[in-house]
Coordinates of all heavy atoms in Angstrom, one line a residue:
L1315 N 25.6 -45.9 -5.0 CA 25.6 -45.7 -6.4 C 25.8 -44.2 -6.7 O 25.7 -43.3 -5.9 CB 24.3 -46.2 -7.0 CG 24.0 -47.6 -6.9 CD1 22.5 -47.9 -7.1 CD2 24.9 -48.5 -7.7
P1316 N 26.2 -43.9 -7.9 CA 26.4 -42.5 -8.4 C 25.1 -41.6 -8.1 O 24.0 -42.0 -8.5 CB 26.7 -42.5 -9.9 CG 27.2 -43.9 -10.1 CD 26.4 -44.8 -9.1
E1317 N 25.2 -40.5 -7.3 CA 24.2 -39.6 -6.9 C 23.3 -39.2 -8.2 O 22.1 -39.2 -7.9 CB 24.7 -38.3 -6.3 CG 23.6 -37.5 -5.8 CD 24.1 -36.3 -5.1 OE1 25.4 -36.2 -4.8 OE2 23.3 -35.3 -4.9
E1318 N 23.8 -39.0 -9.2 CA 23.1 -38.5 -10.5 C 22.1 -39.6 -11.0 O 21.3 -39.3 -11.8 CB 23.9 -38.0 -11.6 CG 24.8 -39.0 -12.3 CD 26.2 -39.1 -11.4 OE1 26.3 -38.6 -10.4 OE2 27.1 -39.8 -12.1
R1319 N 22.2 -40.9 -10.6 CA 21.4 -41.9 -11.0 C 20.4 -42.4 -10.0 O 19.5 -43.1 -10.3 CB 22.2 -43.0 -11.5 CG 23.1 -42.7 -12.7 CD 23.9 -43.9 -13.4 NE 23.2 -45.1 -13.3 CZ 23.8 -46.2 -13.0 NH1 25.0 -46.3 -12.7 NH2 23.0 -47.3 -13.1
V1320 N 20.4 -41.9 -8.8 CA 19.5 -42.3 -7.7 C 18.3 -41.3 -7.6 O 18.6 -40.1 -7.4 CB 20.3 -42.5 -6.4 CG1 19.3 -43.0 -5.3 CG2 21.3 -43.5 -6.6
W1321 N 17.2 -41.8 -7.6 CA 16.0 -40.9 -7.5 C 15.0 -41.4 -6.3 O 14.9 -42.7 -6.3 CB 15.3 -40.9 -8.8 CG 16.2 -40.5 -10.0 CD1 16.9 -41.4 -10.8 CD2 16.5 -39.1 -10.4 NE1 17.7 -40.5 -11.6 CE2 17.5 -39.3 -11.4 CE3 16.1 -38.0 -9.9 CZ2 18.0 -38.2 -12.0 CZ3 16.6 -36.8 -10.5 CH2 17.6 -37.0 -11.6
G1322 N 14.4 -40.4 -5.8 CA 13.5 -40.7 -4.7 C 12.0 -40.8 -5.2 O 11.7 -40.7 -6.6
D1323 N 11.0 -40.7 -4.4 CA 9.6 -40.6 -4.9 C 9.4 -39.3 -5.7 O 10.3 -38.5 -5.5 CB 8.7 -40.8 -3.7 CG 8.8 -39.8 -2.6 OD1 9.8 -39.0 -2.7 OD2 8.0 -39.8 -1.7
H1324 N 8.4 -39.3 -6.3 CA 8.0 -38.1 -7.2 C 8.9 -38.1 -8.5 O 8.8 -37.1 -9.3 CB 8.1 -36.9 -6.5 CG 7.2 -36.8 -5.3 ND1 5.9 -36.9 -5.3 CD2 7.6 -36.7 -3.9 CE1 5.6 -36.8 -4.1 NE2 6.5 -36.6 -3.2
T1325 N 9.7 -39.1 -8.7 CA 10.4 -39.3 -9.9 C 9.7 -40.3 -10.8 O 9.5 -41.5 -10.3 CB 11.9 -39.6 -9.8 OG1 12.5 -38.5 -9.0 CG2 12.5 -39.8 -11.1
G1326 N 9.2 -39.9 -12.0 CA 8.5 -40.9 -12.7 C 9.1 -41.3 -14.0 O 10.1 -40.6 -14.5
Y1327 N 8.6 -42.4 -14.7 CA 9.1 -42.8 -15.9 C 7.9 -43.2 -16.9 O 7.0 -43.8 -16.3 CB 9.9 -44.2 -15.7 CG 11.0 -44.1 -14.8 CD1 11.0 -44.0 -13.4 CD2 12.4 -43.8 -15.4 CE1 12.0 -43.9 -12.6 CE2 13.6 -43.7 -14.5 CZ 13.3 -43.6 -13.1 OH 14.5 -43.5 -12.4
R1328 N 8.0 -42.8 -18.1 CA 7.0 -43.2 -19.1 C 7.4 -44.6 -19.6 O 8.5 -44.8 -20.1 CB 7.1 -42.2 -20.3 CG 6.5 -40.8 -19.9 CD 6.2 -40.1 -21.2 NE 5.3 -40.7 -22.0 CZ 4.8 -40.3 -23.3 NH1 5.4 -39.2 -23.7 NH2 4.0 -40.9 -24.0
V1329 N 6.5 -45.5 -19.3 CA 6.7 -46.9 -19.6 C 5.6 -47.5 -20.3 O 4.5 -47.4 -19.8 CB 6.9 -47.7 -18.3 CG1 7.2 -49.2 -18.6 CG2 8.3 -47.2 -17.5
A1330 N 5.8 -48.0 -21.4 CA 4.7 -48.7 -22.2 C 3.4 -47.8 -22.4 O 2.3 -48.4 -22.2 CB 4.4 -50.1 -21.6
G1331 N 3.5 -46.6 -22.7 CA 2.4 -45.7 -22.9 C 1.9 -45.3 -21.6 O 0.8 -44.6 -21.6
G1332 N 2.4 -45.6 -20.4 CA 1.9 -45.3 -19.1 C 2.9 -44.5 -18.3 O 3.8 -43.9 -18.8
W1333 N 2.8 -44.6 -17.0 CA 3.5 -43.8 -16.0 C 3.7 -44.5 -14.7 O 2.6 -44.9 -14.2 CB 2.9 -42.4 -15.8 CG 3.5 -41.5 -14.9 CD1 3.3 -41.3 -13.6 CD2 4.6 -40.7 -15.2 NE1 4.2 -40.4 -13.1 CE2 5.0 -40.0 -14.0 CE3 5.5 -40.4 -16.3 CZ2 6.1 -39.0 -14.1 CZ3 6.5 -39.5 -16.4 CH2 6.8 -38.9 -15.2
I1334 N 4.9 -44.6 -14.3 CA 5.1 -45.3 -13.0 C 6.0 -44.3 -12.1 O 6.9 -43.6 -12.8 CB 5.8 -46.8 -13.1 CG1 7.2 -46.6 -13.7 CG2 4.9 -47.7 -13.7 CD1 8.0 -47.7 -13.5
E1335 N 5.7 -44.3 -10.8 CA 6.5 -43.6 -9.9 C 7.0 -44.5 -8.7 O 6.4 -44.6 -7.8 CB 5.7 -42.5 -9.3 CG 5.6 -41.2 -10.2 CD 4.8 -40.1 -9.4 OE1 5.0 -40.0 -8.2 OE2 4.1 -39.4 -10.1
P1336 N 8.2 -45.2 -9.0 CA 8.7 -46.0 -7.9 C 9.0 -45.1 -6.6 O 9.2 -44.0 -6.7 CB 9.9 -46.6 -8.4 CG 10.0 -46.3 -9.9 CD 9.0 -45.1 -10.1
D1337 N 9.1 -45.8 -5.4 CA 9.4 -45.1 -4.2 C 10.8 -44.7 -4.3 O 11.3 -43.7 -3.7 CB 9.2 -45.9 -3.0 CG 7.6 -46.2 -2.8 OD1 6.9 -45.2 -2.7 OD2 7.2 -47.4 -2.8
A1338 N 11.7 -45.5 -4.9 CA 13.1 -45.2 -5.1 C 13.5 -45.9 -6.4 O 12.9 -46.9 -6.8 CB 14.0 -45.7 -4.0
S1339 N 14.4 -45.3 -7.1 CA 14.7 -45.8 -8.4 C 16.1 -45.5 -8.7 O 16.8 -44.6 -8.2 CB 13.9 -45.3 -9.6 OG 13.9 -44.0 -9.7
V1340 N 16.8 -46.2 -9.7 CA 18.1 -45.9 -10.2 C 18.0 -45.9 -11.7 O 17.5 -47.0 -12.3 CB 19.2 -47.0 -9.8 CG1 20.5 -46.8 -10.4 CG2 19.3 -47.1 -8.2
S1341 N 18.4 -44.8 -12.3 CA 18.3 -44.7 -13.7 C 19.5 -45.4 -14.3 O 20.5 -45.6 -13.8 CB 18.1 -43.2 -14.2 OG 19.3 -42.6 -13.7
W1342 N 19.3 -45.9 -15.6 CA 20.5 -46.4 -16.4 C 21.4 -45.3 -16.7 O 21.1 -44.1 -16.7 CB 19.9 -47.0 -17.7 CG 19.0 -48.1 -17.6 CD1 17.7 -48.1 -17.5 CD2 19.4 -49.4 -17.5 NE1 17.2 -49.4 -17.4 CE2 18.3 -50.4 -17.4 CE3 20.7 -50.1 -17.5 CZ2 18.3 -51.6 -17.3 CZ3 20.6 -51.5 -17.3 CH2 19.6 -52.2 -17.3
P1343 N 22.8 -45.6 -16.8 CA 23.7 -44.6 -17.2 C 23.3 -43.8 -18.5 O 23.5 -42.6 -18.5 CB 25.0 -45.4 -17.4 CG 24.8 -46.7 -16.6 CD 23.3 -47.1 -16.8
D1344 N 22.6 -44.4 -19.3 CA 22.2 -43.8 -20.6 C 20.7 -43.7 -20.7 O 20.1 -44.0 -21.7 CB 22.9 -44.4 -21.9 CG 22.5 -45.9 -21.9 OD1 21.9 -46.4 -21.0 OD2 22.7 -46.5 -22.9
Q1345 N 20.0 -43.6 -19.5 CA 18.6 -43.6 -19.5 C 18.0 -42.6 -20.6 O 18.2 -41.4 -20.5 CB 18.1 -43.2 -18.1 CG 16.6 -43.2 -17.9 CD 16.0 -44.6 -17.7 OE1 16.7 -45.3 -16.9 NE2 14.9 -44.9 -18.3
P1346 N 17.1 -43.1 -21.5 CA 16.6 -42.2 -22.5 C 15.6 -41.3 -21.7 O 15.1 -41.5 -20.8 CB 15.8 -43.1 -23.4 CG 15.9 -44.5 -22.8 CD 16.8 -44.5 -21.7

Side-chain angles (χ1 to χ4, degrees):
L1315 297 163
E1317 180 179 351
E1318 65 273 7
R1319 293 185 40 221
V1320 178
W1321 304 93
D1323 58 355
H1324 305 299
T1325 298
Y1327 298 82
R1328 286 194 63 183
V1329 177
W1333 180 259
I1334 61 167
E1335 280 186 33
D1337 290 307
S1339 61
V1340 177
S1341 59
W1342 292 96
D1344 59 348
Q1345 182 80 39

